[in-house]
Amino acid sequence: MTPVLLYLHGFNSSPGSAKAQQMAAWVAEHRPDIEVLIPAQPNTPGAAWAAIAQAIEAAIARHGNGLRLGAVGSSLGGFMATRVSELYGCRAALINPAVRPHELLRDYLGPQCNPYTDERYELLPAHMDELKALAVPVTAPERLWILQQQEDEVLDYRKALDEYHFARLSLECGGNHAFEGFERYPAQIVRFLGI
């Protein structure tokens, strides 16, 4: 079996984000047998999901039935990782996950600039429809681990507690949306993912 870790970055982020790089560095040092996938997601939801699905399908084509997949997602990546978990039957760790992003991101409609890539684009109401269409009900909460910090300045942590109320939960006082001290978690995440 080939273990594959899929890391999904958040809105206006990139594979170069701090948590993505911390996760990849830990795996390279401690578990070099794990293949790490950090797809660069386009800035709009439908295209982002297409890139994620393409990365997974390419891994399946490489490894066939020998693939053992686990997902990690931060913020909007947590929303996407929930979809991955449901569609591919794998475990996922969600870091300060976005809940109902089609409502949350309405406040961000209009011109955007991704600070990692300097790409400029416009977030449109049609993109909120794409997000709504990508939402899936959580049918297997035992496959999910929610890592949440209460002082997240972007997302209301209580929404994640409601959405994922039967999942494993690590709730920390303080912190922020970037999830302070994430470097404490890669080993535990890999164990939870079972890869």
Side-chain angles (χ1 to χ4, degrees), residues 55-163:
I56 296 169
E57 294 301 326
I60 291 170
R62 283 193 304 279
H63 305 297
N65 291 333
L67 174 74
R68 197 166 64 242
L69 181 66
V72 181
S74 174
S75 190
L76 187 59
F79 169 80
M80 294 293 195
T82 302
R83 183 175 173 84
V84 170
S85 177
E86 287 292 330
L87 297 185
Y88 292 92
C90 66
R91 289 185 169 208
L94 315 180
I95 306 153
N96 287 337
V99 175
R100 301 180 66 82
H102 63 281
E103 295 173 357
L104 173 73
L105 290 179
R106 286 197 184 282
D107 292 341
Y108 295 83
L109 290 175
Q112 298 289 321
C113 180
N114 183 316
Y116 287 87
T117 65
D118 287 328
E119 291 176 82
R120 297 185 181 280
Y121 67 101
E122 188 159 358
L123 195 63
L124 303 169
H127 298 137
M128 301 306 100
D129 296 336
E130 291 176 9
L131 282 169
K132 191 170 185 179
L134 289 169
V136 292
V138 174
T139 63
E142 68 278 3
R143 290 197 301 245
L144 302 176
W145 180 14
I146 316 308
L147 292 97
Q148 192 75 52
Q149 291 187 332
Q150 288 183 330
E151 296 302 317
D152 183 334
E153 71 281 9
V154 177
L155 303 174
D156 182 345
Y157 77 95
R158 293 167 295 192
K159 291 185 178 180
L161 301 189
D162 289 343
E163 179 76 8

Side-chain angles (χ1 to χ4, degrees), residues 40-51:
Q41 299 170 48
N43 292 309
T44 58
W49 174 254

